[in-house]
Amino acid sequence: MNSQTKATNLQGGALQKNTNVSKPVSMASKKKWKDAGLFTLFVGPVLLAFTIIVLIPFFTGIYYAFTDWNGVTGNINWVGFDNFKYLFTEDKQFQASFLLTAKYTVVAIILTNVIGFALAILVTQMLKTRNILRTVFFMPNLIGGLLLGFIWQFIFVKGFASIGQITGIPLFEMAWLGDAKTAFWGIVIVSVWQGAGYIMIIYIAALQNVPQEIVEAARIDGANRWQILRHITIPMVAPAVTICLFLTTASSFKIFDANLSLTNGGPFKSTEMLALNIYTEAFVNNRYGIGEAKALIFFIVVAAITVIQVMYTKKKEVES
């Protein structure tokens, strides 16, 4: 009897241990399912919307880039790389727009960052009007690109002409939007005027994080303002420079609304940027396949340039 009782107790203990082990396992699995459910609940709708709005059109556009679809009818023929051969051999306007966009991007990146950084330094000084100045400099960024373009179109055409008649200054007597060279700089002026305020805000946040103890120590050692700016301020705001270069590079390459509202690519398509050229090809000329081929090339180039820029500036941050 004693041996039977001991065996029964051992079996019961083993069963109890197995039950105790299974409880944590089941609780852990329930927690995993609960976490997965919460993740799906919060991320699922956003992921679904991103898939429908971004991913599906993106991959569909890649497919259309290899077809001759006109964007209207249901006749879609696969043409392979014929669209890309046409762009690089026969479409001179696409090549001219690409070079013009590259030129505009370089100019806009430099001017927007330099002016934005200068404004940030100005409004971080101990000025009584610094808060008002921040608002004034940032306000152009709140105006839509199309509306801003039409406002500046009126200024270039009517306002400058009136000032030129009154003052006789040659700068205001020029046909700003009627000549290819001045029209290009008109687009640059509007874009920089709109974007510098946004870049200024990013630089302000970076400048406010520069330790004043280091700046004061440099002044005590006899460093002037230029030396402090070059050797202390700029290296410490390098992460902000990386962000601002990335933002201005992407926005400059993708300029569309100011180009459309100011010149619409004129005169004689001399100021037609790449985004406007793609829009015209796809939705005005009804050559959707060629338009998508241009857009795909555009995407690859912009992605490559931005990745290289971020990697290079990040490397400079580490070195500094």
Side-chain angles (χ1 to χ4, degrees):
M1 292 293 292
N2 291 334
S3 60
Q4 291 180 355
T5 304
K6 289 181 180 180
T8 304
N9 291 334
L10 289 172
Q11 290 178 356
L15 290 173
Q16 188 175 0
K17 287 181 181 180
N18 291 334
T19 306
N20 292 334
V21 170
S22 63
K23 283 183 179 179
V25 172
S26 61
M27 290 177 65
S29 62
K30 286 181 180 179
K31 188 176 184 301
K32 289 182 180 179
W33 280 106
K34 183 179 179 181
D35 293 341
L38 289 174
F39 179 81
T40 305
L41 179 63
F42 286 102
V43 180
V46 178
L47 183 61
L48 179 63
F50 181 78
T51 302
I52 295 174
I53 297 173
V54 178
L55 293 182
I56 294 176
F58 176 75
F59 289 108
T60 305
I62 293 176
Y63 166 73
Y64 288 140
F66 297 91
T67 67
D68 63 351
W69 189 39
N70 60 9
V72 180
T73 63
N75 297 324
I76 304 175
N77 299 317
W78 181 268
V79 295
F81 289 94
D82 289 351
N83 291 336
F84 298 94
K85 293 178 183 178
Y86 169 78
L87 296 181
F88 289 110
T89 57
E90 300 180 30
D91 196 341
K92 302 301 181 183
Q93 183 57 46
F94 172 72
Q95 299 169 21
S97 296
F98 195 95
L99 294 176
L100 181 67
T101 305
K103 174 185 174 182
Y104 164 81
T105 300
V106 173
V107 174
I109 288 172
I110 295 173
L111 291 180
T112 304
N113 281 277
V114 169
I115 294 174
F117 187 69
L119 294 177
I121 293 177
L122 174 65
V123 299
T124 51
Q125 304 300 315
M126 298 305 292
L127 301 174
K128 293 183 179 179
T129 58
R130 62 181 182 273
N131 292 330
I132 297 175
L133 290 175
R134 291 181 186 185
T135 305
V136 171
F137 293 148
F138 184 74
M139 280 183 64
N141 190 257
L142 302 176
I143 306 174
L146 285 173
L147 180 60
L148 194 67
F150 287 122
I151 292 172
W152 272 92
Q153 186 186 61
F154 176 81
I155 293 173
F156 281 129
V157 176
K158 301 293 183 181
F160 279 18
S162 300
I163 296 173
Q165 289 178 357
I166 295 172
T167 61
I169 299 175
L171 178 68
F172 297 104
E173 293 180 339
M174 294 188 300
W176 272 86
L177 302 182
D179 182 74
K181 294 181 180 179
T182 53
F184 170 81
W185 287 106
I187 297 173
V188 171
I189 290 170
V190 175
S191 300
V192 172
W193 184 72
Q194 183 184 25
Y198 182 76
I199 299 302
M200 174 196 71
I201 298 298
I202 299 175
Y203 282 129
I204 287 174
L207 289 171
Q208 289 177 341
N209 290 325
V210 176
Q212 293 302 311
E213 297 83 4
I214 300 177
V215 176
E216 291 298 331
R219 287 174 181 169
I220 293 172
D221 291 337
N224 55 35
R225 291 186 177 182
W226 168 248
Q227 290 173 331
I228 293 173
L229 178 66
R230 180 182 177 184
H231 298 289
I232 297 176
T233 305
I234 293 179
M236 287 193 171
V237 300
V241 174
T242 301
I243 296 171
C244 292
L245 286 176
F246 171 78
L247 293 174
T248 50
T249 301
S251 62
S252 299
F253 261 112
K254 296 186 297 183
I255 181 174
F256 174 77
D257 42 13
N259 189 197
L260 177 66
S261 55
L262 275 174
T263 64
N264 196 22
F268 304 108
K269 293 186 177 296
S270 59
T271 60
E272 187 178 70
M273 302 289 180
L274 199 52
L276 181 59
N277 179 262
I278 294 170
Y279 169 82
T280 304
E281 192 70 71
F283 300 106
V284 177
N285 299 338
N286 288 331
R287 296 200 295 181
Y288 200 88
I290 296 178
E292 284 291 348
K294 292 182 179 182
L296 182 58
I297 296 172
F298 186 36
F299 167 77
I300 294 172
V301 170
V302 174
I305 291 174
T306 50
V307 168
I308 293 170
Q309 174 261 311
V310 171
M311 292 176 62
Y312 178 77
T313 49
K314 281 290 184 182
K315 182 180 178 182
K316 288 295 182 181
E317 287 179 29
V318 175
E319 290 177 355
S320 60

